[in-house]
Structures are given as structure tokens and as C-alpha cells.
PDB file of all heavy atoms in Angstrom:
ATOM      1  N   ARG A 822      -2.316  11.841 -12.012  1.00  0.00           N
ATOM      2  CA  ARG A 822      -2.868  10.791 -11.158  1.00  0.00           C
ATOM      3  C   ARG A 822      -4.314  11.107 -10.776  1.00  0.00           C
ATOM      4  O   ARG A 822      -5.165  10.210 -10.729  1.00  0.00           O
ATOM      5  CB  ARG A 822      -2.006  10.633  -9.904  1.00  0.00           C
ATOM      6  CG  ARG A 822      -0.624  10.081 -10.180  1.00  0.00           C
ATOM      7  CD  ARG A 822       0.195   9.988  -8.931  1.00  0.00           C
ATOM      8  NE  ARG A 822      -0.384   9.066  -7.962  1.00  0.00           N
ATOM      9  CZ  ARG A 822       0.087   8.886  -6.730  1.00  0.00           C
ATOM     10  NH1 ARG A 822       1.146   9.570  -6.316  1.00  0.00           N
ATOM     11  NH2 ARG A 822      -0.496   8.031  -5.918  1.00  0.00           N
ATOM     12  N   GLU A 823      -4.597  12.390 -10.509  1.00  0.00           N
ATOM     13  CA  GLU A 823      -5.983  12.754 -10.200  1.00  0.00           C
ATOM     14  C   GLU A 823      -6.864  12.594 -11.433  1.00  0.00           C
ATOM     15  O   GLU A 823      -8.001  12.131 -11.342  1.00  0.00           O
ATOM     16  CB  GLU A 823      -6.071  14.184  -9.690  1.00  0.00           C
ATOM     17  CG  GLU A 823      -7.503  14.576  -9.323  1.00  0.00           C
ATOM     18  CD  GLU A 823      -7.625  15.960  -8.726  1.00  0.00           C
ATOM     19  OE1 GLU A 823      -6.608  16.662  -8.599  1.00  0.00           O
ATOM     20  OE2 GLU A 823      -8.770  16.327  -8.379  1.00  0.00           O
ATOM     21  N   LEU A 824      -6.327  12.977 -12.603  1.00  0.00           N
ATOM     22  CA  LEU A 824      -7.082  12.795 -13.835  1.00  0.00           C
ATOM     23  C   LEU A 824      -7.483  11.339 -14.010  1.00  0.00           C
ATOM     24  O   LEU A 824      -8.649  11.029 -14.310  1.00  0.00           O
ATOM     25  CB  LEU A 824      -6.246  13.256 -15.028  1.00  0.00           C
ATOM     26  CG  LEU A 824      -6.836  12.948 -16.410  1.00  0.00           C
ATOM     27  CD1 LEU A 824      -8.118  13.728 -16.637  1.00  0.00           C
ATOM     28  CD2 LEU A 824      -5.824  13.239 -17.508  1.00  0.00           C
ATOM     29  N   MET A 825      -6.533  10.424 -13.810  1.00  0.00           N
ATOM     30  CA  MET A 825      -6.839   9.014 -14.005  1.00  0.00           C
ATOM     31  C   MET A 825      -7.799   8.495 -12.928  1.00  0.00           C
ATOM     32  O   MET A 825      -8.601   7.595 -13.193  1.00  0.00           O
ATOM     33  CB  MET A 825      -5.553   8.192 -14.026  1.00  0.00           C
ATOM     34  CG  MET A 825      -4.634   8.503 -15.210  1.00  0.00           C
ATOM     35  SD  MET A 825      -5.521   8.631 -16.803  1.00  0.00           S
ATOM     36  CE  MET A 825      -6.277   7.017 -16.928  1.00  0.00           C
ATOM     37  N   ALA A 826      -7.735   9.062 -11.724  1.00  0.00           N
ATOM     38  CA  ALA A 826      -8.708   8.684 -10.690  1.00  0.00           C
ATOM     39  C   ALA A 826     -10.119   9.075 -11.124  1.00  0.00           C
ATOM     40  O   ALA A 826     -11.085   8.321 -10.930  1.00  0.00           O
ATOM     41  CB  ALA A 826      -8.350   9.336  -9.363  1.00  0.00           C
ATOM     42  N   ARG A 827     -10.250  10.257 -11.728  1.00  0.00           N
ATOM     43  CA  ARG A 827     -11.562  10.690 -12.220  1.00  0.00           C
ATOM     44  C   ARG A 827     -12.029   9.799 -13.374  1.00  0.00           C
ATOM     45  O   ARG A 827     -13.209   9.470 -13.477  1.00  0.00           O
ATOM     46  CB  ARG A 827     -11.493  12.142 -12.695  1.00  0.00           C
ATOM     47  CG  ARG A 827     -11.056  13.169 -11.659  1.00  0.00           C
ATOM     48  CD  ARG A 827     -12.114  13.428 -10.616  1.00  0.00           C
ATOM     49  NE  ARG A 827     -11.693  14.432  -9.673  1.00  0.00           N
ATOM     50  CZ  ARG A 827     -12.145  15.689  -9.630  1.00  0.00           C
ATOM     51  NH1 ARG A 827     -13.056  16.086 -10.492  1.00  0.00           N
ATOM     52  NH2 ARG A 827     -11.701  16.536  -8.720  1.00  0.00           N
ATOM     53  N   VAL A 828     -11.073   9.435 -14.255  1.00  0.00           N
ATOM     54  CA  VAL A 828     -11.403   8.551 -15.369  1.00  0.00           C
ATOM     55  C   VAL A 828     -11.919   7.213 -14.856  1.00  0.00           C
ATOM     56  O   VAL A 828     -12.946   6.704 -15.313  1.00  0.00           O
ATOM     57  CB  VAL A 828     -10.175   8.348 -16.283  1.00  0.00           C
ATOM     58  CG1 VAL A 828     -10.386   7.182 -17.246  1.00  0.00           C
ATOM     59  CG2 VAL A 828      -9.869   9.625 -17.059  1.00  0.00           C
ATOM     60  N   ARG A 829     -11.211   6.635 -13.892  1.00  0.00           N
ATOM     61  CA  ARG A 829     -11.642   5.345 -13.330  1.00  0.00           C
ATOM     62  C   ARG A 829     -13.031   5.449 -12.714  1.00  0.00           C
ATOM     63  O   ARG A 829     -13.866   4.552 -12.851  1.00  0.00           O
ATOM     64  CB  ARG A 829     -10.630   4.856 -12.296  1.00  0.00           C
ATOM     65  CG  ARG A 829      -9.324   4.360 -12.891  1.00  0.00           C
ATOM     66  CD  ARG A 829      -8.486   3.640 -11.844  1.00  0.00           C
ATOM     67  NE  ARG A 829      -8.056   4.512 -10.768  1.00  0.00           N
ATOM     68  CZ  ARG A 829      -6.943   5.241 -10.778  1.00  0.00           C
ATOM     69  NH1 ARG A 829      -6.128   5.203 -11.833  1.00  0.00           N
ATOM     70  NH2 ARG A 829      -6.618   6.001  -9.749  1.00  0.00           N
ATOM     71  N   SER A 830     -13.282   6.567 -12.019  1.00  0.00           N
ATOM     72  CA  SER A 830     -14.578   6.762 -11.375  1.00  0.00           C
ATOM     73  C   SER A 830     -15.700   6.841 -12.408  1.00  0.00           C
ATOM     74  O   SER A 830     -16.748   6.208 -12.259  1.00  0.00           O
ATOM     75  CB  SER A 830     -14.548   8.030 -10.526  1.00  0.00           C
ATOM     76  OG  SER A 830     -15.801   8.287  -9.938  1.00  0.00           O
ATOM     77  N   LEU A 831     -15.474   7.594 -13.484  1.00  0.00           N
ATOM     78  CA  LEU A 831     -16.509   7.726 -14.508  1.00  0.00           C
ATOM     79  C   LEU A 831     -16.755   6.408 -15.233  1.00  0.00           C
ATOM     80  O   LEU A 831     -17.902   6.044 -15.509  1.00  0.00           O
ATOM     81  CB  LEU A 831     -16.098   8.812 -15.512  1.00  0.00           C
ATOM     82  CG  LEU A 831     -16.269  10.254 -15.041  1.00  0.00           C
ATOM     83  CD1 LEU A 831     -15.617  11.214 -16.024  1.00  0.00           C
ATOM     84  CD2 LEU A 831     -17.743  10.601 -14.879  1.00  0.00           C
ATOM     85  N   LEU A 832     -15.680   5.680 -15.534  1.00  0.00           N
ATOM     86  CA  LEU A 832     -15.846   4.393 -16.207  1.00  0.00           C
ATOM     87  C   LEU A 832     -16.550   3.387 -15.304  1.00  0.00           C
ATOM     88  O   LEU A 832     -17.363   2.577 -15.760  1.00  0.00           O
ATOM     89  CB  LEU A 832     -14.488   3.853 -16.641  1.00  0.00           C
ATOM     90  CG  LEU A 832     -13.813   4.596 -17.801  1.00  0.00           C
ATOM     91  CD1 LEU A 832     -12.411   4.060 -18.027  1.00  0.00           C
ATOM     92  CD2 LEU A 832     -14.638   4.492 -19.080  1.00  0.00           C
ATOM     93  N   ARG A 833     -16.235   3.451 -13.995  1.00  0.00           N
ATOM     94  CA  ARG A 833     -16.838   2.520 -13.049  1.00  0.00           C
ATOM     95  C   ARG A 833     -18.359   2.708 -12.975  1.00  0.00           C
ATOM     96  O   ARG A 833     -19.102   1.753 -12.797  1.00  0.00           O
ATOM     97  CB  ARG A 833     -16.200   2.703 -11.672  1.00  0.00           C
ATOM     98  CG  ARG A 833     -16.564   1.620 -10.656  1.00  0.00           C
ATOM     99  CD  ARG A 833     -15.605   1.651  -9.492  1.00  0.00           C
ATOM    100  NE  ARG A 833     -15.502   2.954  -8.883  1.00  0.00           N
ATOM    101  CZ  ARG A 833     -14.368   3.688  -8.862  1.00  0.00           C
ATOM    102  NH1 ARG A 833     -13.261   3.230  -9.409  1.00  0.00           N
ATOM    103  NH2 ARG A 833     -14.361   4.876  -8.276  1.00  0.00           N
ATOM    104  N   ARG A 834     -18.807   3.934 -13.117  1.00  0.00           N
ATOM    105  CA  ARG A 834     -20.249   4.186 -13.080  1.00  0.00           C
ATOM    106  C   ARG A 834     -20.977   3.458 -14.203  1.00  0.00           C
ATOM    107  O   ARG A 834     -22.164   3.153 -14.092  1.00  0.00           O
ATOM    108  CB  ARG A 834     -20.535   5.685 -13.241  1.00  0.00           C
ATOM    109  CG  ARG A 834     -20.054   6.547 -12.110  1.00  0.00           C
ATOM    110  CD  ARG A 834     -20.458   7.970 -12.422  1.00  0.00           C
ATOM    111  NE  ARG A 834     -19.661   8.939 -11.691  1.00  0.00           N
ATOM    112  CZ  ARG A 834     -19.691  10.236 -11.931  1.00  0.00           C
ATOM    113  NH1 ARG A 834     -20.472  10.698 -12.894  1.00  0.00           N
ATOM    114  NH2 ARG A 834     -18.955  11.073 -11.234  1.00  0.00           N
ATOM    115  N   HIS A 835     -20.274   3.203 -15.302  1.00  0.00           N
ATOM    116  CA  HIS A 835     -20.915   2.558 -16.450  1.00  0.00           C
ATOM    117  C   HIS A 835     -20.631   1.068 -16.495  1.00  0.00           C
ATOM    118  O   HIS A 835     -20.980   0.404 -17.463  1.00  0.00           O
ATOM    119  CB  HIS A 835     -20.436   3.217 -17.743  1.00  0.00           C
ATOM    120  CG  HIS A 835     -21.109   4.528 -17.998  1.00  0.00           C
ATOM    121  ND1 HIS A 835     -22.047   4.707 -18.977  1.00  0.00           N
ATOM    122  CD2 HIS A 835     -20.984   5.719 -17.356  1.00  0.00           C
ATOM    123  CE1 HIS A 835     -22.474   5.958 -18.940  1.00  0.00           C
ATOM    124  NE2 HIS A 835     -21.849   6.584 -17.973  1.00  0.00           N
ATOM    125  N   GLY A 836     -19.989   0.535 -15.456  1.00  0.00           N
ATOM    126  CA  GLY A 836     -19.669  -0.877 -15.446  1.00  0.00           C
ATOM    127  C   GLY A 836     -20.429  -1.640 -14.399  1.00  0.00           C
ATOM    128  O   GLY A 836     -21.609  -1.417 -14.167  1.00  0.00           O
ATOM    129  N   VAL A 837     -19.748  -2.561 -13.747  1.00  0.00           N
ATOM    130  CA  VAL A 837     -20.353  -3.412 -12.729  1.00  0.00           C
ATOM    131  C   VAL A 837     -19.712  -3.111 -11.394  1.00  0.00           C
ATOM    132  O   VAL A 837     -18.772  -2.331 -11.283  1.00  0.00           O
ATOM    133  CB  VAL A 837     -20.176  -4.907 -13.085  1.00  0.00           C
ATOM    134  CG1 VAL A 837     -20.868  -5.218 -14.391  1.00  0.00           C
ATOM    135  CG2 VAL A 837     -18.707  -5.278 -13.170  1.00  0.00           C
ATOM    136  N   SER A 838     -20.229  -3.729 -10.341  1.00  0.00           N
ATOM    137  CA  SER A 838     -19.701  -3.525  -9.004  1.00  0.00           C
ATOM    138  C   SER A 838     -18.335  -4.166  -8.876  1.00  0.00           C
ATOM    139  O   SER A 838     -17.890  -4.943  -9.715  1.00  0.00           O
ATOM    140  CB  SER A 838     -20.651  -4.141  -7.977  1.00  0.00           C
ATOM    141  OG  SER A 838     -20.642  -5.546  -8.105  1.00  0.00           O
ATOM    142  N   ALA A 839     -17.620  -3.836  -7.798  1.00  0.00           N
ATOM    143  CA  ALA A 839     -16.278  -4.348  -7.586  1.00  0.00           C
ATOM    144  C   ALA A 839     -16.246  -5.858  -7.500  1.00  0.00           C
ATOM    145  O   ALA A 839     -15.252  -6.508  -7.821  1.00  0.00           O
ATOM    146  CB  ALA A 839     -15.693  -3.741  -6.299  1.00  0.00           C
ATOM    147  N   SER A 840     -17.349  -6.498  -7.085  1.00  0.00           N
ATOM    148  CA  SER A 840     -17.401  -7.946  -6.969  1.00  0.00           C
ATOM    149  C   SER A 840     -17.624  -8.627  -8.313  1.00  0.00           C
ATOM    150  O   SER A 840     -17.524  -9.834  -8.432  1.00  0.00           O
ATOM    151  CB  SER A 840     -18.546  -8.353  -6.029  1.00  0.00           C
ATOM    152  OG  SER A 840     -19.794  -7.992  -6.598  1.00  0.00           O
ATOM    153  N   GLY A 841     -17.896  -7.797  -9.352  1.00  0.00           N
ATOM    154  CA  GLY A 841     -18.137  -8.347 -10.672  1.00  0.00           C
ATOM    155  C   GLY A 841     -19.602  -8.608 -10.959  1.00  0.00           C
ATOM    156  O   GLY A 841     -19.962  -8.994 -12.061  1.00  0.00           O
ATOM    157  N   ALA A 842     -20.478  -8.427  -9.976  1.00  0.00           N
ATOM    158  CA  ALA A 842     -21.904  -8.673 -10.174  1.00  0.00           C
ATOM    159  C   ALA A 842     -22.596  -7.394 -10.639  1.00  0.00           C
ATOM    160  O   ALA A 842     -22.288  -6.308 -10.178  1.00  0.00           O
ATOM    161  CB  ALA A 842     -22.538  -9.142  -8.870  1.00  0.00           C
ATOM    162  N   VAL A 843     -23.514  -7.554 -11.566  1.00  0.00           N
ATOM    163  CA  VAL A 843     -24.277  -6.406 -12.038  1.00  0.00           C
ATOM    164  C   VAL A 843     -25.213  -5.943 -10.930  1.00  0.00           C
ATOM    165  O   VAL A 843     -25.900  -6.740 -10.298  1.00  0.00           O
ATOM    166  CB  VAL A 843     -25.095  -6.787 -13.297  1.00  0.00           C
ATOM    167  CG1 VAL A 843     -25.976  -5.624 -13.731  1.00  0.00           C
ATOM    168  CG2 VAL A 843     -24.164  -7.200 -14.417  1.00  0.00           C
ATOM    169  N   ARG A 844     -25.234  -4.637 -10.675  1.00  0.00           N
ATOM    170  CA  ARG A 844     -26.113  -4.115  -9.637  1.00  0.00           C
ATOM    171  C   ARG A 844     -27.567  -4.266 -10.075  1.00  0.00           C
ATOM    172  O   ARG A 844     -27.901  -4.003 -11.226  1.00  0.00           O
ATOM    173  CB  ARG A 844     -25.784  -2.643  -9.357  1.00  0.00           C
ATOM    174  CG  ARG A 844     -24.355  -2.415  -8.916  1.00  0.00           C
ATOM    175  CD  ARG A 844     -24.138  -1.017  -8.357  1.00  0.00           C
ATOM    176  NE  ARG A 844     -24.526   0.043  -9.258  1.00  0.00           N
ATOM    177  CZ  ARG A 844     -23.753   0.523 -10.234  1.00  0.00           C
ATOM    178  NH1 ARG A 844     -22.565  -0.013 -10.455  1.00  0.00           N
ATOM    179  NH2 ARG A 844     -24.171   1.514 -10.995  1.00  0.00           N
ATOM    180  N   PRO A 845     -28.453  -4.670  -9.154  1.00  0.00           N
ATOM    181  CA  PRO A 845     -29.856  -4.870  -9.525  1.00  0.00           C
ATOM    182  C   PRO A 845     -30.555  -3.528  -9.732  1.00  0.00           C
ATOM    183  O   PRO A 845     -30.102  -2.479  -9.255  1.00  0.00           O
ATOM    184  CB  PRO A 845     -30.430  -5.600  -8.311  1.00  0.00           C
ATOM    185  CG  PRO A 845     -29.579  -5.153  -7.168  1.00  0.00           C
ATOM    186  CD  PRO A 845     -28.195  -4.995  -7.741  1.00  0.00           C
ATOM    187  N   PRO A 846     -31.683  -3.534 -10.444  1.00  0.00           N
ATOM    188  CA  PRO A 846     -32.458  -2.305 -10.613  1.00  0.00           C
ATOM    189  C   PRO A 846     -32.907  -1.744  -9.263  1.00  0.00           C
ATOM    190  O   PRO A 846     -33.122  -2.488  -8.296  1.00  0.00           O
ATOM    191  CB  PRO A 846     -33.660  -2.748 -11.456  1.00  0.00           C
ATOM    192  CG  PRO A 846     -33.187  -3.966 -12.170  1.00  0.00           C
ATOM    193  CD  PRO A 846     -32.251  -4.650 -11.207  1.00  0.00           C
ATOM    194  N   VAL A 847     -33.038  -0.435  -9.218  1.00  0.00           N
ATOM    195  CA  VAL A 847     -33.521   0.261  -8.030  1.00  0.00           C
ATOM    196  C   VAL A 847     -34.898   0.824  -8.363  1.00  0.00           C
ATOM    197  O   VAL A 847     -35.054   1.556  -9.344  1.00  0.00           O
ATOM    198  CB  VAL A 847     -32.567   1.401  -7.615  1.00  0.00           C
ATOM    199  CG1 VAL A 847     -33.125   2.149  -6.401  1.00  0.00           C
ATOM    200  CG2 VAL A 847     -31.170   0.864  -7.325  1.00  0.00           C
ATOM    201  N   VAL A 848     -35.891   0.471  -7.549  1.00  0.00           N
ATOM    202  CA  VAL A 848     -37.254   0.940  -7.778  1.00  0.00           C
ATOM    203  C   VAL A 848     -37.693   1.753  -6.568  1.00  0.00           C
ATOM    204  O   VAL A 848     -37.628   1.280  -5.426  1.00  0.00           O
ATOM    205  CB  VAL A 848     -38.228  -0.233  -8.006  1.00  0.00           C
ATOM    206  CG1 VAL A 848     -39.639   0.291  -8.219  1.00  0.00           C
ATOM    207  CG2 VAL A 848     -37.770  -1.073  -9.194  1.00  0.00           C
ATOM    208  N   LEU A 849     -38.149   2.977  -6.829  1.00  0.00           N
ATOM    209  CA  LEU A 849     -38.630   3.856  -5.760  1.00  0.00           C
ATOM    210  C   LEU A 849     -39.830   4.618  -6.294  1.00  0.00           C
ATOM    211  O   LEU A 849     -39.679   5.568  -7.073  1.00  0.00           O
ATOM    212  CB  LEU A 849     -37.525   4.820  -5.311  1.00  0.00           C
ATOM    213  CG  LEU A 849     -37.888   5.765  -4.153  1.00  0.00           C
ATOM    214  CD1 LEU A 849     -38.148   4.979  -2.873  1.00  0.00           C
ATOM    215  CD2 LEU A 849     -36.775   6.785  -3.921  1.00  0.00           C
ATOM    216  N   GLY A 850     -41.018   4.194  -5.893  1.00  0.00           N
ATOM    217  CA  GLY A 850     -42.226   4.842  -6.398  1.00  0.00           C
ATOM    218  C   GLY A 850     -42.314   4.714  -7.910  1.00  0.00           C
ATOM    219  O   GLY A 850     -42.255   3.614  -8.463  1.00  0.00           O
ATOM    220  N   GLN A 851     -42.421   5.847  -8.605  1.00  0.00           N
ATOM    221  CA  GLN A 851     -42.522   5.859 -10.068  1.00  0.00           C
ATOM    222  C   GLN A 851     -41.153   5.807 -10.745  1.00  0.00           C
ATOM    223  O   GLN A 851     -41.073   5.810 -11.971  1.00  0.00           O
ATOM    224  CB  GLN A 851     -43.256   7.114 -10.536  1.00  0.00           C
ATOM    225  CG  GLN A 851     -44.679   7.253 -10.028  1.00  0.00           C
ATOM    226  CD  GLN A 851     -45.357   8.455 -10.639  1.00  0.00           C
ATOM    227  OE1 GLN A 851     -45.900   8.401 -11.736  1.00  0.00           O
ATOM    228  NE2 GLN A 851     -45.321   9.565  -9.926  1.00  0.00           N
ATOM    229  N   LEU A 852     -40.097   5.759  -9.957  1.00  0.00           N
ATOM    230  CA  LEU A 852     -38.731   5.823 -10.479  1.00  0.00           C
ATOM    231  C   LEU A 852     -38.117   4.424 -10.532  1.00  0.00           C
ATOM    232  O   LEU A 852     -38.175   3.675  -9.557  1.00  0.00           O
ATOM    233  CB  LEU A 852     -37.881   6.729  -9.584  1.00  0.00           C
ATOM    234  CG  LEU A 852     -36.402   6.889  -9.944  1.00  0.00           C
ATOM    235  CD1 LEU A 852     -36.265   7.648 -11.258  1.00  0.00           C
ATOM    236  CD2 LEU A 852     -35.678   7.631  -8.818  1.00  0.00           C
ATOM    237  N   THR A 853     -37.517   4.084 -11.675  1.00  0.00           N
ATOM    238  CA  THR A 853     -36.781   2.830 -11.816  1.00  0.00           C
ATOM    239  C   THR A 853     -35.430   3.123 -12.449  1.00  0.00           C
ATOM    240  O   THR A 853     -35.357   3.750 -13.520  1.00  0.00           O
ATOM    241  CB  THR A 853     -37.533   1.815 -12.690  1.00  0.00           C
ATOM    242  OG1 THR A 853     -38.813   1.535 -12.116  1.00  0.00           O
ATOM    243  CG2 THR A 853     -36.747   0.514 -12.805  1.00  0.00           C
ATOM    244  N   LEU A 854     -34.360   2.678 -11.790  1.00  0.00           N
ATOM    245  CA  LEU A 854     -33.001   2.840 -12.296  1.00  0.00           C
ATOM    246  C   LEU A 854     -32.432   1.463 -12.611  1.00  0.00           C
ATOM    247  O   LEU A 854     -32.494   0.563 -11.774  1.00  0.00           O
ATOM    248  CB  LEU A 854     -32.111   3.524 -11.252  1.00  0.00           C
ATOM    249  CG  LEU A 854     -32.619   4.838 -10.647  1.00  0.00           C
ATOM    250  CD1 LEU A 854     -31.667   5.311  -9.554  1.00  0.00           C
ATOM    251  CD2 LEU A 854     -32.744   5.894 -11.716  1.00  0.00           C
ATOM    252  N   THR A 855     -31.854   1.321 -13.793  1.00  0.00           N
ATOM    253  CA  THR A 855     -31.251   0.052 -14.194  1.00  0.00           C
ATOM    254  C   THR A 855     -29.758   0.270 -14.411  1.00  0.00           C
ATOM    255  O   THR A 855     -29.348   0.755 -15.469  1.00  0.00           O
ATOM    256  CB  THR A 855     -31.900  -0.490 -15.482  1.00  0.00           C
ATOM    257  OG1 THR A 855     -33.324  -0.547 -15.307  1.00  0.00           O
ATOM    258  CG2 THR A 855     -31.373  -1.883 -15.804  1.00  0.00           C
ATOM    259  N   PRO A 856     -28.919  -0.067 -13.410  1.00  0.00           N
ATOM    260  CA  PRO A 856     -27.483   0.194 -13.529  1.00  0.00           C
ATOM    261  C   PRO A 856     -26.820  -0.488 -14.720  1.00  0.00           C
ATOM    262  O   PRO A 856     -25.887   0.070 -15.307  1.00  0.00           O
ATOM    263  CB  PRO A 856     -26.926  -0.334 -12.203  1.00  0.00           C
ATOM    264  CG  PRO A 856     -28.068  -0.241 -11.243  1.00  0.00           C
ATOM    265  CD  PRO A 856     -29.282  -0.557 -12.071  1.00  0.00           C
TER     266      PRO A 856
END
């Protein structure tokens, strides 16, 4: 069960938010993150 919790967490990082909307880019100074 813990293994699958870790699996879900890792897969979630590469997907979308719980609401189904794609997270917007994060811009901080010279840094830009595109989820």
C-alpha cells in the first residue's frame, strides 16, 4: 500500500492538478517552471 502511494505521488507530479486543470507556469526571476 505504501509502494502504491509512492507510485501515485510520482505519477501525479507528471500529470495535472486534482481539479483536472493544467498548472500554469511559475516564473521567479531567471527561473521558469512549466508543469
